[in-house]
Amino acid sequence: HVGIAKLNVVDTIAEIVRDNPRLISQVPQSLLSHFIDSITIWGRKARWLRIFEVFLEIGGFSFKRNQDLVIKLVMDNFEELIDLECDYRNSRFLPHSDERYGKTRLELIWAGDHKDETRTLVKYHYSSVNLLALLAAGKNAANQGKIMQKVTLDTIIDQIISVPLSKDGKRVPVGTRGFDYDGVYYVRRAWTKLMGNVYLSSLDTHAIAQFQNTRRLWVWEAGV
């Protein structure tokens, strides 16, 4: 029933499971795989990706058993599942007839996509980054290492900086008429959380080396 239009099964399941230790601790991998399959078959819907969030925490504390189950599924389906760019120019994830096809993240924010409750690519992008952050939460060193292999510290910093930048590198000024800067802050929140959970809380030598070598933190560049 997950793919049936106007039947919001996912949010119903989320509310039943949320902060329920007995249910969360017994969730089978087959159920988690079903949500992955729904996304790959029916398309990118933020609420389908957000369902994983309720399985990863109990009362605000990370639940390692499910972190380890979910990260395997995520890594096995990373390209299909995780949207780190929110760039739908020449994208295979949208039909050409979709009015969002051809738009960048900034153009989607301009269009108010992040305000949509269901059919939103910006929220899917946010949920992708937030999911990775939750998988690394609680100083889960193994998961931190797996995510580091997919997302470098430079990539995270570049994403935080570039949210309000247009194609020519110009920043949309705060207060610009018709542009909702809340969309920028919303996306940045996920990337900042990912940086904290993966890099700032890690004592791994690779994470420390990335901090020492990242160009955006220690090297001043004109115009940056």
Side-chain angles (χ1 to χ4, degrees), residues 163-174:
V163 179
L165 300 183
S166 60
K167 297 174 187 176
D168 59 5
K170 294 181 180 179
R171 184 182 305 275
V172 178
V174 175

Side-chain angles (χ1 to χ4, degrees), residues 42 53 58 60 77 128 211 214:
W42 300 101
E53 297 173 8
I58 300 176
N77 299 273
S128 294
F211 256 107
T214 183

Side-chain angles (χ1 to χ4, degrees), residues 45-141:
K45 293 179 173 56
R47 70 174 183 271
W48 292 356
L49 200 57
R50 286 199 302 264
I51 186 65
F52 293 105
E53 297 173 8
V54 301
F55 297 117
L56 297 176
E57 291 184 323
I58 300 176
F61 293 93
S62 303
F63 189 60
K64 188 176 184 301
R65 181 257 188 187
N66 288 356
Q67 283 181 317
D68 295 344
L69 281 178
V70 173
I71 199 164
K72 182 181 186 308
L73 294 171
V74 168
M75 292 300 161
D76 287 346
N77 299 273
F78 198 88
E79 299 302 324
E80 294 290 327
L81 192 68
I82 300 299
D83 177 12
L84 296 179
E85 299 291 338
C86 199
D87 186 345
Y88 288 88
R89 296 171 291 181
N90 301 315
S91 173
R92 61 189 175 91
F93 296 106
L94 283 181
H96 286 213
S97 58
D98 193 303
E99 70 274 10
R100 300 168 298 174
Y101 182 86
K103 286 185 169 63
T104 64
R105 178 174 58 197
L106 183 63
E107 289 168 339
L108 288 166
I109 293 175
W110 264 109
D113 176 272
H114 59 290
K115 299 178 183 178
D116 196 307
E117 290 300 321
T118 56
R119 192 170 171 271
T120 165
L121 296 173
V122 174
K123 285 185 178 177
Y124 188 91
H125 170 59
Y126 172 94
S127 298
S128 294
V129 180
N130 189 58
L131 176 58
L132 295 180
L134 290 174
L135 289 170
K139 299 183 180 179
N140 188 324

